[in-house]
Amino acid sequence: WLIMAKRSPKTAVTRFAPSPTGFLHLGHAYSALFAWEAAEKANARFILRIEDIDAGRRRPEFEDAIFEDLQWLGLAWKEPVRRQSGCMDDYAGALDKLDRLGLLYPCFCTRKDIREEIARAGQAPHGLPPHGHPNGPEGAPYPGTCRNLPPQARADRVCSGEPHALRLHMENALEQAGPHTWSDREKGVVASRPKPFGDVVLARKDIKTSYHLACAVDDHLQGVTLVTRGEDLFEATHVHRLLQALLGLDTPDYHHHRLLTGADGKRFAKRERSLTLRHLRESGKSPGDIKRDIRRMAGI
Ligand code: GLU
């Protein structure tokens, strides 16, 4: 199904894939400009994808603002815009395939259950921050509580409607996929090593997909040939490469760019209103000023 639905593979395609959970700031503008310029250089199509699976955090006014801010900056994209919340069937198809490969299992744990299990096992009981935890790229890896539930107990709990996520059985997935690499414009050929992520969630309890799954499926379906994004997402590419191998999806090239930082060396956060494109525009900056500022900050 994924192969059939794919666009023509001939044209090179880059993309900008923001989440409508805040106003775009200078860091986003850099990322968007980076993808747009990569497309210009390669005579490629530049497309826009709205990563809005997080129903609790997405807001329509942020999505409208993304269109408006990019237009103002002069970064035109090729239609149509793909909105992930409208593509759940594609993600369900991918999950179905992984399930048929025997690589998914339902996980009924709450965050608290996981924290407690990790503490019991004597590992760091620090919760699950999104990035940079010493024990794994997305926090401490899942301790495996639901991995070996007896099949009947598992089926009963699913049938009774108990909320559950779907996790990838990492060990079996690695065995089935075998070794893989991807090509990174900064780092060259990179061997894919997703193991430190542990049994990643591919379908959340509340939303039947996840960033990793949606991203790998969409990049394939949209015929993306070069993924440009911040280096904070470098590690995620290990998981995306594994999903590509398991699902038979195309592997684009990758270019993880440095993150823009302020004068204090810290990366920009969404909540810093003074750095939003909205605010900068209102305070009299032109698109040219913004692009100049970005180039100066990025040292390009
Ligand atoms: N939606 C992600 C973000 O806004 C970007 C994902 C990607 O480029 O792969 O951080």
Side-chain angles (χ1 to χ4, degrees), residues 112-123:
K112 185 161 168 277
D113 294 336
I114 296 174
R115 258 197 318 273
E116 287 173 0
E117 183 58 34
I118 290 171
R120 255 196 304 277
Q123 298 177 29

Side-chain angles (χ1 to χ4, degrees):
W1 54 277
L2 286 169
I3 314 273
M4 300 296 291
K6 216 192 124 196
R7 298 184 62 95
S8 145
K10 292 281 178 291
T11 350
V13 177
T14 71
R15 49 55 156 203
F16 177 52
S19 304
T21 54
F23 290 118
L24 297 186
H25 57 62
L26 279 180
H28 294 111
Y30 175 47
S31 216
L33 188 62
F34 197 95
W36 188 85
E37 287 185 343
E40 286 285 290
K41 261 185 245 151
N43 205 10
R45 298 164 67 241
F46 167 71
I47 59 171
L48 176 63
R49 179 162 83 226
I50 301 293
E51 301 210 326
D52 62 345
I53 55 173
D54 196 334
R57 293 173 64 222
R58 68 171 175 234
R59 298 233 305 260
E61 60 268 38
F62 291 140
E63 186 178 315
D64 293 344
I66 288 171
F67 299 139
E68 207 182 288
D69 291 348
L70 291 178
Q71 250 154 19
W72 176 73
L73 269 182
L75 305 185
W77 59 89
K78 296 275 187 288
E79 295 287 349
V81 172
R82 183 172 170 93
R83 190 179 284 110
Q84 290 186 327
S85 58
C87 302
M88 296 306 289
D89 287 352
D90 290 330
Y91 313 134
L95 288 168
D96 194 48
K97 182 159 180 188
L98 292 170
D99 193 38
R100 275 185 278 116
L101 294 172
L103 296 176
L104 295 182
Y105 65 86
C107 170
F108 307 93
C109 295
T110 61
R111 277 167 187 266
K112 185 161 168 277
D113 294 336
I114 296 174
R115 258 197 318 273
E116 287 173 0
E117 183 58 34
I118 290 171
R120 255 196 304 277
Q123 298 177 29
H126 298 313
L128 298 169
H131 295 291
H133 191 285
N135 289 333
E138 288 183 332
Y142 179 61
T145 323
C146 292
R147 191 186 301 132
N148 298 315
L149 284 180
Q152 193 55 52
R154 193 177 261 173
D156 289 348
R157 289 173 76 172
V158 170
C159 284
S160 74
E162 191 175 335
H164 60 275
L166 294 175
R167 289 185 180 272
L168 182 70
H169 192 304
M170 183 58 81
E171 207 181 308
N172 291 355
L174 287 171
E175 207 178 290
Q176 281 198 31
H180 288 279
T181 59
W182 82 77
S183 168
D184 193 283
R185 298 264 162 106
E186 290 286 330
K187 301 225 156 76
V189 176
V190 181
S192 169
R193 292 190 212 287
K195 197 170 172 186
F197 281 81
D199 292 357
V200 276
V201 168
L202 293 187
R204 292 161 45 162
K205 275 185 188 166
D206 52 339
I207 308 155
K208 290 294 153 204
T209 185
S210 65
Y211 162 62
H212 295 309
L213 184 78
C215 182
V217 167
D218 287 356
D219 283 336
H220 171 83
L221 288 179
Q222 296 190 283
V224 173
T225 55
L226 173 64
V227 169
T228 63
R229 60 184 170 204
E231 64 187 6
D232 54 331
L233 288 168
F234 180 86
E235 296 297 328
T237 306
H238 290 290
V239 177
H240 301 178
R241 182 68 191 91
L242 173 62
L243 293 175
Q244 288 155 7
L246 295 169
L247 291 165
L249 309 177
D250 293 337
T251 302
D253 284 350
Y254 289 86
H255 194 158
H256 297 93
H257 59 72
R258 288 214 325 268
L259 297 178
L260 274 200
T261 52
D264 57 2
K266 293 210 186 98
R267 58 180 285 205
F268 300 139
K270 274 190 182 169
R271 60 184 173 280
E272 283 173 65
R273 204 185 143 260
S274 62
L275 296 169
T276 60
L277 294 177
R278 210 126 274 256
H279 178 83
L280 294 165
R281 183 168 80 206
E282 279 157 17
S283 61
K285 293 259 189 193
S286 70
D289 294 335
I290 302 280
K291 288 180 189 162
R292 245 189 320 279
D293 288 352
I294 287 173
R295 293 207 169 86
R296 183 176 39 76
M297 282 189 243
I300 49 174

